[in-house]
Amino acid sequence: MTLNRQDAAHVAEVLSEALPYIRRFVGQTLVIKYGGHAMESEELKNGFARDIVLMKAVGINPVVVHGGGPQIGELLKRLNIESRFVDGMRVTDSQTMDVVEMVLGGLVNKSIVNLINSHGGSAIGLTGKDARLIRARKLKVTRQTPEMTKPEIIDIGQVGEVASINKDLLHMMVQGDFIPVIAPIGVGADGESYNINADLVAGKVAEALNAEKLLLLTDIAGLMDKQGNVLTGLNTEQVDALIEDGTIYGGMLPKIGCALDAVQAGVRSAHIIDGRVPNAVLLEIFTDSGVGTLITNS
Ligand SMILES: Nc1ncnc2c1ncn2[C@@H]1O[C@H](COP(=O)(O)OP(=O)(O)O)[C@@H](O)[C@H]1O
Ligand SMILES: CC(=O)N[C@@H](CCC(=O)OP(=O)(O)O)C(=O)O
């Protein structure tokens, strides 16, 4: 590629405006949760991969954790396997677990790795089984209604929560200039597989790496109130009230839960951003106002 004089002037202008932001984040780790819905068009996928490669090129360390709920749902449907969710978590029997592992660890993980690498990056795909990156245990889900005297335990199968993250492995990769791309499959004490909500994995990875930012890309403009207005900045107490009154439900519950846990554990900020917007990651990093909902620990 050769730049003409006009192109060069444009590049110089954009770079000089971006410089203060780049300086702010150089050497920092940013964990990005790439959701299934934000992978729906070629334009979005290519924009995402280019953003990640650019970040790495200017000295910021991106670590990608991906979802793939819609892709899992599609294959389950083709195989005539019914699927349902409890509080945003897919009920996972052993047959469903096989499909989850195939889709997330195989198809989705490798296509993201391939995409990043085709844009000039050096991505390495991992599941939680590689070097026991994500040790997991069974997630306990309980439910209590006002009529019940004690909470009921609900068995949702091989759904896990993160017990620990092998951060040495991630540090090694980041220092080696690789971009880790992580599928949210955990390994139990006896080598069993766990299906973990990708938001929860992203939050724990951000905590383990003491990340500067946790970016959760999703299919909506941000966290909304009952009238549909995006709430731009929220703290712990405000979030609790919104869960209590039912404004936050379904897939937003694990998302907001992991964002709160992450900022309470020392991650500087968590952001729920619209993955349907092209170049959402760069927009978040390189603008003062950011996009979507910012969650801080205050
Ligand atoms: N208060 C809220 N604001 C915005 N979205 C919400 C809210 N409560 C629940 N949701 C739902 O959460 C969804 C995002 O979660 P999910 O579908 O799991 O996303 P992803 O696949 O990106 O992880 C939104 O599309 C919306 O339907
Ligand atoms: C337990 C659980 O629900 N696991 C998720 C894992 C994938 C995921 O989280 O994908 P998104 O981020 O695209 O929703 C699932 O089976 O769909």
Side-chain angles (χ1 to χ4, degrees):
M1 180 197 166
T2 39
L3 292 183
N4 63 30
R5 233 190 262 181
Q6 232 177 352
D7 292 335
H10 183 62
V11 169
E13 195 182 324
V14 172
L15 270 181
S16 81
E17 276 188 41
L19 214 52
Y21 299 97
I22 295 174
R23 285 213 178 98
R24 207 169 117 214
F25 292 116
V26 164
Q28 309 273 12
T29 298
L30 269 59
V31 175
I32 300 123
K33 151 62 194 327
Y34 187 37
H37 291 287
M39 299 172 193
E40 271 165 10
S41 80
E42 288 308 307
E43 186 200 2
L44 287 178
K45 288 198 290 192
N46 283 309
F48 172 80
R50 218 168 51 169
D51 286 3
I52 297 293
V53 173
L54 279 174
M55 278 166 71
K56 190 74 184 172
V58 298
I60 305 169
N61 298 317
V63 174
V64 178
V65 176
H66 65 82
Q71 291 81 349
I72 297 168
E74 232 169 75
L75 184 56
L76 286 172
K77 205 166 155 196
R78 268 167 42 203
L79 296 170
N80 281 323
I81 301 171
E82 296 231 339
S83 196
R84 66 188 174 89
F85 286 81
V86 170
D87 290 345
M89 304 284 177
R90 187 187 305 276
V91 178
T92 307
D93 60 12
S94 74
Q95 205 182 15
T96 304
M97 188 67 234
D98 286 348
V99 174
V100 168
E101 205 157 353
M102 281 190 269
V103 173
L104 294 184
L107 207 61
V108 177
N109 187 274
K110 296 311 157 202
S111 80
I112 298 170
V113 165
N114 205 25
L115 201 63
I116 293 176
N117 293 345
S118 71
H119 282 271
S122 255
I124 297 189
L126 303 156
T127 78
K129 288 189 171 170
D130 293 284
R132 299 203 162 187
L133 173 62
I134 309 166
R135 287 181 198 247
R137 55 180 166 248
K138 190 175 162 83
L139 178 74
K140 289 201 182 80
V141 180
T142 56
R143 176 171 292 166
Q144 179 147 36
T145 57
E147 305 82 55
M148 292 157 72
T149 49
K150 60 175 183 156
E152 157 194 33
I153 295 171
I154 305 166
D155 187 359
I156 58 169
Q158 281 172 258
V159 174
E161 64 179 349
V162 176
S164 65
I165 299 288
N166 180 348
K167 56 182 174 189
D168 292 345
L169 174 70
L170 294 178
H171 280 310
M172 209 171 72
M173 287 187 171
V174 167
Q175 279 155 17
D177 271 343
F178 294 105
I179 301 168
V181 176
I182 303 168
I185 293 159
V187 61
D190 299 319
E192 70 277 25
S193 306
Y194 283 107
N195 177 15
I196 314 180
N197 178 286
D199 299 321
L200 300 185
V201 171
K204 293 295 169 199
V205 167
E207 285 177 33
L209 297 179
N210 199 12
E212 177 71 15
K213 269 182 194 278
L214 167 65
L215 301 179
L216 300 164
L217 266 71
T218 186
D219 64 343
I220 201 155
L223 183 63
M224 295 187 180
D225 65 15
K226 282 218 162 74
Q227 287 71 44
N229 305 309
V230 175
L231 300 166
T232 47
L234 281 170
N235 61 30
T236 318
E237 275 172 28
Q238 290 165 310
V239 170
D240 285 345
L242 292 173
I243 294 176
E244 191 78 8
D245 75 4
T247 307
I248 299 174
Y249 59 89
M252 194 52 78
L253 283 170
K255 213 177 285 303
I256 202 78
C258 83
L260 285 177
D261 285 353
V263 293
Q264 279 161 7
V267 174
R268 199 74 68 88
S269 62
H271 306 253
I272 295 175
I273 61 176
D274 195 345
R276 301 166 306 174
V277 173
N279 305 98
V281 174
L282 283 196
L283 269 178
E284 169 53 44
I285 298 170
F286 292 156
T287 51
D288 286 327
S289 50
V291 283
T293 303
L294 160 72
I295 294 138
T296 50
N297 185 30
S298 53

